[in-house]
Structure formats: structure tokens, C-alpha cells
Amino acid sequence: MTDQQEVYDITIIGGGPVGLFTAFYGGMRQLNVKIIESMPQLGGQLSALYPEKYIYDVAGFPKVLAQDLVDNLIEQADQFKPEVALEQSVEEVKQMEDGTLYLRANTGEEHYTRAAIITAGVGAFQPRRLKVEGADQYEGKNLHYFVNDLTKFAGQKVLVAGGGDSAVDWANMLEPIAEEVTLIHRRDKFRAHEHSVEQLMNSSVNIQTPYNISEFIGDGERINQVVLKHAKEDDEIRKDVDAVIVNYGFISSLGPIKEWGLDIEKNSIVVNSKMETNIPGIYAAGDVATYEGKVKLIASGFGEAPTAVNNAKSYMDPDAKVQPMHSTSLFDKKK
């Protein structure tokens, strides 16, 4: 380690909603915080997979758009100016002789920290891609696995593929925006929430079940038509399209985290009631953490974040109280 390389109090591995709230709370405890995120933007799955989907189970919000929640969390964390390193995955973690943690990213960049809190959600994730010949040439053009702006589909003929919550939600939200929305699913029944399916059935969305995408007809730059094949019968439908959105879920993996010597159980990191892992100075919170009775919700992660930060503070400074002052008192001191 050179003199120029700063040692942070806490480095948060994962910049999703729980990571962002952890960064804010680290600032509340007057800790110097860095966030390392593998994606090009903060927000995790909320920003990457369903930014314009409503979330209903966050305390204080009857409903909130995923991206709005992320934007608020970023604004909240930014009060304490955390350092942010994007498009970096931590590949190696080791403890140095003085107890400092050394983190090496896939980019070769090195990070040093007194404690680390892993808030990596389900780990690195990639969408389940469509297994149709030539589909890859249309990615980034008019074949989409992620949608971050509904308005770009205004006036278009959009085909949505999938049968879960995301596919049904996209179809419902696109209905008033697009010229025409078609939703296809390989089964007759949808796996989405009942109220979303009811909304779908009462909408103008063209529902085609049970059908699969069998072929794209296009010019290499854009898909012009989609050939749909019946899942059980010898029947095909051709649909003119301006855009195709595929929601077949995603594949996730803890990746290099599995090699760090942490106790792993069913693709999650085992922690105790202090959010401590089996390695001193390393904590975990949110969906990546597991313990007896764990419930994987954003709301749960928001509670685990302060527990991890407060215990990390006590780990670094044994004289520091685990139980902090009330937030109103802390902000009154800042004024």
C-alpha cells in the first residue's frame, strides 16, 4: 500500500438500494465510506431490471417507482459524499497484518478499508437471453432485456415475452403509451400477481398464449417481424413489431465472493445478529445475507444496514457505542 492510497472506514460492496442506505447510515456515524458497484450505474436490480415498476412494500410509501426510490436513496447518501467506484467487481479480499482489508477489483484497481459490508443482493446477474438464431445482433437495437425509459416506446408496436411479474407489469404500463402491445407466454396461465393479471385481462393488450418466439425477420439492424410458434400445435403467427422486450428472468451468481473464505449457505452469506460474517471486519446485509428466519425484502435490508454499520463502527472503535443517537440529534449537530 502506498501513502497515496486512502484507507476508508467502510467499503460497501454492491450499490443497490440496501448498499445506498448503508452508505447513508455510514455517513450518519461519521465514517468515511466508499461504494463499489459492478454495474455502470447505482441502483442494482431496481435500476437495471424494472426502473418504472411500482414497489408497494417500502415503509412510508403507499407505492413508489423503483427508479424514484433509487434516486431518493442516492440523494440521501450524497449528503455525506461517499466515494463511488462503478463498473468494478471485487475479485479478491484479504486481511493485512494490521487488520486493514485489501480489495482487488477486476479492473486491477486496489482498495483499502477498515471494514467491508457486502450488500451484493443476489450477486452479479444477467438476463436469460432468448435462444433464437441471430437474436444477439438485435441486442441494443430493438431487442431489449432491460427497459429504463418507457417513453421511447411511444407510438410503437411492442411485443413483450414472458409470464412473470415483470412481463405483465411492462405490458400493463406500456398499454397507454405504445400504439399496440402484444404479450406472449409459453403457458396459458401467468405467474404474476393476481391483481396485475386482472388488470391485464381488462386491458387492450393482445394476449397470445401458449406461444414462443421462433424467428426474427429483420435486416440485421432492426427486427421487423416476429414469428410466433404455438407451444402445442402446428400453428404460427407473424407479428409486425417496432420493438421486442424479453422478460425471462435472470441468472445470478455470487461469483468471486464464493472464494473469499466466507460461510456460504444456498448462495447467501451466513451472518449473525450483528450482521457479522465469519471473517472479522466483514459484514453483510440485504438479500445476500442469511440467518435463521431471514426474510428477503428491501424493507428487511433497510433494517439490517444500520445494524451492520453500527457494529462495524464498534469493531473499528471499541469505545464507540453500538446504539447511536437519534437521527434528529445528529442532524441538529450538523447545522
Side-chain angles (χ1 to χ4, degrees):
M1 182 171 62
T2 66
D3 294 338
Q4 287 74 35
Q5 289 171 308
E6 183 174 357
V7 178
Y8 284 80
D9 292 322
I10 289 179
T11 295
I12 298 162
I13 302 171
V18 174
L20 288 166
F21 190 62
T22 305
F24 160 74
Y25 207 89
M28 289 275 284
R29 291 305 312 259
Q30 297 182 309
L31 298 169
N32 193 13
V33 175
K34 176 184 279 187
I35 302 171
I36 302 176
E37 167 57 46
S38 63
M39 298 288 285
Q41 76 282 323
L42 295 169
Q45 290 183 51
L46 297 191
S47 291
L49 295 179
Y50 38 81
E52 298 201 38
K53 179 178 177 180
Y54 279 111
I55 297 173
Y56 299 92
D57 55 1
V58 176
F61 292 94
K63 66 177 182 178
V64 59
L65 283 173
Q67 190 59 51
D68 288 347
L69 179 61
V70 168
D71 291 343
N72 286 340
L73 286 162
I74 291 172
E75 181 181 348
Q76 186 179 37
D78 274 350
Q79 296 174 91
F80 299 105
K81 307 299 180 190
E83 181 72 16
V84 177
L86 297 175
E87 296 187 88
Q88 291 189 36
S89 298
V90 178
E91 293 194 336
E92 180 187 359
V93 175
K94 65 181 181 182
Q95 204 154 32
M96 303 172 70
E97 288 186 9
D98 64 356
T100 300
L101 292 169
Y102 162 84
L103 315 179
R104 181 180 56 79
N106 61 327
T107 58
E109 190 161 342
E110 298 176 328
H111 306 270
Y112 296 88
T113 188
R114 299 173 70 195
I117 301 178
I118 305 170
T119 57
V122 294
F125 58 92
Q126 291 291 328
R128 292 185 187 275
R129 283 177 159 74
L130 197 61
K131 294 180 180 178
V132 172
E133 186 177 353
D136 56 343
Q137 67 186 315
Y138 296 110
E139 288 185 28
K141 296 169 184 174
N142 65 338
L143 170 60
H144 308 275
Y145 292 100
F146 301 123
V147 176
N148 53 23
D149 182 7
L150 285 173
T151 60
K152 67 183 178 185
F153 299 102
Q156 294 189 3
K157 295 177 180 178
V158 183
L159 185 140
V160 181
D165 284 312
S166 292
V168 172
D169 286 344
W170 284 126
N172 284 334
M173 288 189 289
L174 283 166
E175 185 213 10
I177 297 170
E179 177 188 336
E180 175 187 274
V181 179
T182 299
L183 177 62
I184 71 158
H185 181 38
R186 61 192 174 95
R187 295 190 175 97
D188 288 314
K189 291 187 177 180
F190 293 96
R191 293 173 285 106
H193 290 299
E194 290 88 345
H195 75 276
S196 300
V197 175
E198 182 181 3
Q199 180 185 344
L200 176 73
M201 295 303 174
N202 292 327
S203 73
S204 65
V205 173
N206 177 25
I207 301 168
Q208 297 284 355
T209 60
Y211 280 89
N212 290 304
I213 296 173
S214 65
E215 185 183 352
F216 287 142
I217 299 171
D219 57 11
E221 287 298 316
R222 296 188 65 79
I223 303 164
N224 299 316
Q225 281 191 325
V226 178
V227 179
L228 307 176
K229 185 173 177 56
H230 198 281
K232 301 173 183 176
E233 301 171 5
D234 187 19
D235 179 47
E236 286 187 348
I237 298 173
R238 289 195 175 206
K239 291 287 299 182
D240 292 336
V241 297
D242 297 305
V244 177
I245 302 171
V246 176
N247 284 285
Y248 287 167
F250 56 91
I251 303 166
S252 61
S253 171
L254 288 181
I257 293 176
K258 288 184 176 180
E259 311 303 319
W260 296 353
L262 297 162
D263 285 343
I264 305 289
E265 184 179 288
K266 295 181 180 178
N267 218 42
S268 299
I269 300 168
V270 178
V271 297
N272 61 17
S273 61
K274 297 179 179 181
M275 299 297 117
E276 293 173 321
T277 70
N278 59 302
I279 299 178
I282 300 182
Y283 300 77
D287 283 359
V288 77
T290 190
Y291 48 82
E292 187 177 356
K294 167 78 176 191
V295 178
K296 293 193 174 187
L297 294 171
I298 293 173
S300 305
F302 285 165
E304 293 162 4
T307 300
V309 169
N310 287 319
N311 282 285
K313 170 88 171 181
S314 179
Y315 165 79
M316 290 181 282
D317 178 6
D319 293 332
K321 292 182 178 179
V322 173
Q323 179 64 45
M325 291 188 292
H326 294 298
S327 62
T328 49
S329 302
L330 289 166
F331 272 92
D332 285 344
K333 287 177 71 177
K334 285 180 65 182
K335 291 177 182 178

